[in-house]
């Protein structure tokens, strides 16, 4: 039981650091609680509802005896106010709630966007993805609504961001809209705003802006006509260097540049003639098995394997893949200025559609494209691998014709 003593001034500054463990009353409901080297000021009182409460006022290191007495006097006045007695702890809790609500109200779109990007950063396979988000939002969104409280953003604000670029940078505008929608969805789930998302497309912004496909034609990667491919491959095989071999392998497998440049020897089984690309390196996030044709196997067998480097096509620096520009540079040296590395996938697709009778699904799966809706994919459990092996064998023979 703690004795009540409303007369302040019992403690002496000189003795505060040497007091034994326990409660030490100064009077006026002020106590110093000692435990080891710890010294804490505590205001002990009976709340208006009759409950006994202990309210910490800070440590002896940060609050002097004089300041602690001043704080205690102010709190005694609140507790014993004859007209409106107050529970100081309850008052402090209410203030924190008000401050938190005010903080939420001040949460800006930019703050929400930065938090959203950070929450997704480790889930994105490519670090460039986060950089692209930062770049587009900084260029088009932050100057207009970046400093606005996110719960105040409405359709006119979204329109003011998109209107200047929708007709002149349609693809960029579409990505900007999608990214704003994602950020605002995150803010809603995080309780920083309520209501519908003003950046949503279907049933909302589609009544304000024309669809992107109607504004500008889709820009495809320039591709080499498949009838010109055999001559191109003859010239390519005469080229020396890792970049040339990587480009040749990309053509033979119809794979993306990044998949080829990141290929490691442990992904390739030359005996089974299979290249198994792990899900972590695939655009769709699913493992992709590539049947290797005779031409692809022959190319791989002719490559040196470095014992301390797992990469099939190593760059100039140890354990660092080739850059994307390495493959493009090969095309430039061959004076194929109107062709891109990615375009060879279109070359393969045009050839498979016009020169073979393989099913469309097999051709699309060779490109690691998603085929059919969710129901169809659920019933088609296989990846048509045997069928694709025949298709890729024919493609390899055509490339070497």
């Amino acid at each position: 039981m703690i004795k009540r003593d409303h007369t302040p001034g019992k403690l002496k500054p000189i003795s505060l650091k040497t007091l034994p463990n326990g409660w030490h009353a100064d009077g006026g409901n002020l106590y110093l609680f000692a435990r080891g080297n710890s010294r804490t000021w505590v205001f002990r009182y009976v709340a208006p509802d009759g409950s006994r409460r202990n309210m910490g006022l800070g440590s002896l290191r940060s609050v002097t005896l004089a300041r602690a007495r001043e704080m205690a006097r102010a709190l005694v006045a609140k507790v014993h106010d004859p007209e409106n007695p107050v529970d100081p702890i309850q008052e402090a809790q209410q203030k924190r709630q008000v401050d938190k609500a005010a903080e939420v109200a001040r949460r800006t779109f930019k703050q929400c966007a930065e938090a959203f990007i950070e929450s997704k950063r480790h889930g994105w396979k490519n670090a460039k993805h986060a950089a692209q988000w930062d770049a587009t939002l900084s260029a088009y969104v932050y100057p207009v609504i970046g400093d606005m409280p996110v719960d105040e953003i409405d359709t006119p604000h979204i329109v003011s961001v998109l209107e200047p670029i929708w007709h002149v940078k349609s693809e960029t505008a579409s990505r900007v809209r999608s990214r704003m929608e994602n950020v605002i969805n995150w803010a809603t789930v995080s309780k920083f705003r309520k209501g519908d998302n003003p950046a949503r497309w279907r049933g909302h912004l589609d009544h304000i802006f024309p669809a992107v496909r109607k504004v500008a034609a889709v820009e495809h990667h320039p591709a080499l006509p498949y009838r010109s491919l055999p001559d191109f491959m003859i010239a390519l095989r005469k080229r020396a260097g890792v970049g040339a071999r990587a480009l040749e392998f990309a053509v033979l497998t119809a794979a993306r540049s990044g998949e080829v440049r990141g290929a490691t020897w442990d992904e390739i089984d030359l005996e089974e003639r299979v290249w198994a690309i792990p899900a972590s390196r695939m655009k769709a996030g699913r493992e992709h098995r590539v049947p290797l044709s005779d031409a692809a196997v022959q190319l791989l067998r002719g490559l040196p394997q470095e014992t301390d480097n797992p990469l099939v096509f190593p760059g100039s620096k140890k354990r660092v893949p080739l850059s994307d520009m390495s493959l493009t540079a090969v095309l430039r040296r061959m004076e194929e200025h109107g062709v891109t590395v990615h375009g060879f996938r279109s070359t393969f697709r045009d050839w498979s559609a016009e020169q073979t009778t393989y099913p469309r699904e097999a051709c699309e799966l060779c490109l690691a494209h998603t085929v059919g809706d969710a129901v169809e994919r659920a019933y088609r459990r296989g990846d048509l691998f045997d069928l694709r092996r025949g298709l890729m064998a024919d493609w390899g023979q055509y490339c070497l014709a």
Side-chain angles (χ1 to χ4, degrees):
M1 177 68 67
I2 299 172
K3 295 176 65 177
R4 297 186 182 183
D5 186 348
H6 299 291
T7 305
K10 301 182 76 173
L11 298 177
K12 305 300 180 186
I14 196 172
S15 64
L16 296 179
K17 294 183 179 180
T18 59
L19 291 172
N21 290 347
W23 294 92
H24 303 279
D26 182 60
N29 296 76
L30 178 63
Y31 291 81
L32 184 68
F33 179 69
R35 176 179 290 174
N37 293 326
S38 174
R39 300 286 189 276
T40 305
W41 295 112
V42 180
F43 178 68
R44 311 192 77 178
Y45 64 100
V46 177
D49 64 1
S51 60
R52 294 179 178 274
R53 313 293 297 271
N54 293 335
M55 183 177 185
L57 304 182
S59 69
L60 178 60
R61 291 183 179 180
S62 59
V63 180
T64 64
L65 174 57
R67 176 58 181 154
R69 287 171 176 169
E70 180 182 340
M71 295 168 70
R73 283 195 296 271
L75 292 172
V76 166
K78 287 186 176 184
V79 172
H80 297 291
D81 187 325
E83 296 183 2
N84 183 30
V86 172
D87 182 342
I89 291 179
Q90 190 177 65
E91 182 185 50
Q93 290 172 342
Q94 291 172 347
K95 184 178 184 302
R96 283 194 294 270
Q97 291 174 353
V98 171
D99 290 344
K100 184 177 180 180
E103 179 186 355
V104 169
R106 291 191 299 269
R107 190 65 62 100
T108 66
F109 178 90
K110 184 178 180 180
Q111 289 173 325
C112 290
E114 290 172 343
F116 171 81
I117 292 171
E118 190 59 35
S119 72
K120 298 293 184 181
R121 190 180 300 276
H122 298 295
W124 285 332
K125 293 180 292 186
N126 195 332
K128 291 182 179 178
H129 200 52
Q132 289 168 350
W133 270 72
D134 285 328
T136 53
L137 293 178
S138 296
Y140 303 107
V141 183
Y142 294 160
V144 183
I145 63 171
D147 294 330
M148 284 189 63
V150 71
D151 64 339
E152 293 182 10
I153 294 174
D154 208 345
T155 303
H157 305 114
I158 300 298
V159 171
S160 66
V161 172
L162 297 175
E163 203 164 40
I165 59 174
W166 195 265
H167 295 278
V168 292
K169 298 180 179 181
S170 302
E171 290 294 338
T172 298
S174 179
R175 285 192 290 271
V176 169
R177 184 211 61 78
S178 175
R179 288 168 184 176
M180 287 192 293
E181 182 180 16
N182 276 280
V183 170
I184 293 174
N185 278 339
W186 179 90
T188 302
V189 172
S190 301
K191 307 298 184 184
F192 296 133
R193 62 170 284 127
K194 296 179 181 179
D196 293 333
N197 191 323
R200 67 191 186 281
W201 176 254
R202 191 180 300 277
H204 188 59
L205 291 180
D206 59 351
H207 295 305
I208 299 176
F209 296 105
V212 169
R213 65 180 181 275
K214 294 181 179 180
V215 176
V218 176
E219 184 178 335
H220 295 287
H221 296 277
L224 186 75
Y226 67 81
R227 296 186 189 281
S228 302
L229 185 66
D231 289 340
F232 170 83
M233 293 296 283
I234 291 174
L236 177 59
R237 288 196 296 275
K238 293 178 181 178
R239 294 273 168 175
V242 180
R245 298 291 72 76
L247 178 58
E248 183 181 354
F249 189 68
V251 175
L252 291 171
T253 57
R256 297 180 178 90
S257 171
E259 296 159 6
V260 170
R261 292 182 290 109
T264 57
W265 286 108
D266 60 0
E267 296 174 358
I268 294 172
D269 188 333
L270 289 175
E271 297 300 321
E272 296 295 327
R273 305 164 69 90
V274 177
W275 174 25
I277 311 174
S280 60
R281 295 207 306 107
M282 292 301 299
K283 182 178 180 180
R286 295 189 300 273
E287 183 189 57
H288 179 54
R289 296 192 300 162
V290 180
L292 297 175
S293 63
D294 290 343
V297 170
Q298 183 179 356
L299 184 155
L300 291 171
R301 290 191 187 280
L303 295 176
Q305 294 191 33
E306 302 176 8
T307 56
D308 59 343
N309 195 337
L311 293 168
V312 177
F313 303 102
S316 57
K317 295 182 179 179
K318 187 70 69 177
R319 294 178 176 271
V320 176
L322 287 169
S323 70
D324 190 35
M325 289 306 299
S326 298
L327 277 65
T328 301
V330 175
L331 291 173
R332 297 297 172 265
R333 288 194 292 271
M334 295 176 70
E335 298 186 353
E336 296 288 352
H337 299 293
V339 177
T340 67
V341 177
H342 195 88
F344 285 103
R345 287 165 56 82
S346 296
T347 303
F348 165 79
R349 190 64 186 89
D350 292 343
W351 168 84
S352 63
E354 297 181 21
Q355 298 294 314
T356 78
T357 57
Y358 287 95
R360 171 185 172 276
E361 290 81 359
C363 301
E364 291 294 315
L365 286 171
C366 282
L367 297 170
H369 286 167
T370 300
V371 179
D373 58 20
V375 175
E376 181 182 349
R377 292 196 298 273
Y379 280 97
R380 191 192 66 246
R381 298 183 184 280
D383 58 0
L384 305 182
F385 187 78
D386 291 338
L387 193 62
R388 290 193 293 117
R389 185 180 285 284
L391 173 56
M392 295 310 293
D394 291 348
W395 172 246
Q397 291 180 358
Y398 179 77
C399 290
L400 296 179

